[in-house]
Amino acid sequence: MKFGFVTGNSGQPPELAAEYARRRAAATARVALDGPWERGVLADRLVESRLLELEAAEDLASRLLELSPSPPIGGVRELTALVLDLPPLPEHARLRPAPPPEPPAPRPWRWGVPRWATPAECARALDLTPGELDWFADLGGWNRRAGRPLRHYRYRWVPTRTGGARLLESPKPRLAELQRRVVRHVVARFPLHEAVHGFRTGRSPVTCAAQHSGRDVVVRMDLEGFFTTVSGRRVRALLAAAGYPPRVAAVLAGLLTTATPADVLADAPAGRDPALRWRQVRGLAGPHLPQGAPSSPAVANAAAHRLDVRLAGLARVLGVAYTRYADDLAFSGDAAVPVHRLVPGVRRIAREEGFRIREAKTSVTGAHQRQRVAGLVVNSAPAVSRREYDALRALLHNCVRTGPRAQNRDGHPDFRAHLLGRIGWAGTGNPRRAARLRALFDRIAW
């Protein structure tokens, strides 16, 4: 009797052999789909799962990619049937027998995080009862089905400059404070790469842009849906790596992530790119980091640590500088920068680390063009573009002439603070500009 690639043990009754083959095929399918659909990493997963020897794993990965260049639409069920239908392997390359189960070894605590071994300890540390912790962690996903007054988040779609839309998911005050506590006690202890400049104490757009000032070539690439891409599963894995037991990692991840309700997703604007909108809605439907939560920037930085390590290694090999400011990746170097190797390499590493490059925003600029990093022009010293400076100067002049109320066309609740913030930004790297703008501001009759 033939059971395909996964063969039953010899000497077993046919019924038992068939069930053995089905279970092994299903296990193989689950492992194969749990990551990038590429030959090398797929084979590595099969070996690491202890399902196959290296030779057999590589053979199976090659066969699967020949038959299905992309992951099967039918998921585990379809791939299980495909594995069962493959011709048997040679006897020496068949699946290993299942090893006897072993009790999991306790994870070591890392990075100096507080050692909360149980949800009860976690609740006490956050000044919650166990019931309140479960309520805010929302492990049952009730928040996605609850009525608007009971939800933990407020939702608002805002347009982007590129014609798309971004969903702001703002936690209500008590959850926001819990998220800040988790960051202070736990996430702030996670390692960050030196290339990270966004949402980090002592770093800023200026420190990021300064790494690329006066370079012959600047390459910029953007990560698509940076927060949405960081799933609840990834956050749990990060917390588990710090040493937290599964239940504690789950409740902490529940505090930091959310799944967007269906009625909010239904209101997503169409935008210019239907494929981008579909990927965005798909990511929002599952647990993800909410854009608008005070904890999301720090968690996203920690989740991208492996990405930063690998991109910095690629940059070092190619002789270029690398920085990341949130989702903005920047590389720079002399005129000999091997862009033909850099861009595909970044794309591949991002994909393998669970991120996606937004191709429309990739740019390569030479010294004769305007080079921008983290919103600043870096052809010489980091500075705001002349266009932004002139626009703000004109706005301040009109405020002096007609009064600030008439110029507050976007309805900022604190227009004075808004203008001061823009002055601080526009004066970045240029004290003379800042002084001119501040002199105009001081003439406004408030």
Side-chain angles (χ1 to χ4, degrees), residues 283-299:
L284 291 169
H288 61 276
L289 291 181
Q291 185 160 352
S295 51
S296 292
V299 180

Side-chain angles (χ1 to χ4, degrees), residues 124-158:
R124 283 196 299 272
L126 297 175
D127 295 326
L128 298 172
T129 66
E132 288 173 327
L133 179 61
D134 287 343
W135 167 264
F136 286 112
D138 187 27
L139 298 186
W142 71 266
N143 185 73
R144 194 167 186 267
R145 304 182 296 273
R148 292 177 185 269
L150 294 177
R151 292 174 180 170
H152 290 322
Y153 290 82
R154 298 183 179 91
Y155 303 93
R156 181 165 61 95
W157 289 99
V158 296

